[in-house]
Amino acid sequence: MIIRTKLLDLFGISGIMLFPFLIVKKDSSINHERIHFRQCLSLGILLFYVWYFVEYLILLPKYKSKAYYYISFEQDAYINDDNINYKSYYGWIKYVFNKVKFTFKQ
């Protein structure tokens, strides 16, 4: 279910996937959140959120405030954000140990 709202401006984000909802700003693309939705389906809801949080905690000491952008799920979603045909459920796996070093769109 897709929810478009201006309320995300209050948090400074353009979208969030809270299974089963894709919550995005009215003028934002939903592809990034759709990729997260597929990732969540590939692992199962609970494991997806646990893995996401644990990986963030592991990356925090090395990447500090940028740790979010180095989470494997985020790398997969950001890299493929412009590819509306991207359908991979397990594409994120390649970023677990091989972090891409580039500037992410924010």
Side-chain angles (χ1 to χ4, degrees), residues 20-43:
F21 303 102
L22 305 179
I23 306 167
V24 294
K25 287 173 37 174
K26 290 189 178 270
D27 59 347
S28 293
S29 165
I30 61 169
N31 198 47
H32 182 96
E33 303 312 325
R34 281 185 177 164
I35 292 170
H36 285 321
F37 188 82
R38 287 186 194 100
Q39 294 165 343
C40 190
L41 291 176
S42 72
L43 280 178

Side-chain angles (χ1 to χ4, degrees), residues 31-77:
N31 198 47
H32 182 96
E33 303 312 325
R34 281 185 177 164
I35 292 170
H36 285 321
F37 188 82
R38 287 186 194 100
Q39 294 165 343
C40 190
L41 291 176
S42 72
L43 280 178
I45 300 164
L46 182 60
L47 185 55
F48 171 82
Y49 285 109
V50 168
W51 187 304
Y52 192 103
F53 182 69
V54 169
E55 189 173 354
Y56 175 77
L57 292 178
I58 291 168
L59 295 169
L60 200 53
K62 181 175 181 179
Y63 295 107
K64 312 273 189 273
S65 64
K66 301 288 185 191
Y68 158 83
Y69 297 102
Y70 289 92
I71 297 169
S72 56
F73 299 118
E74 292 301 335
Q75 292 220 323
D76 187 38

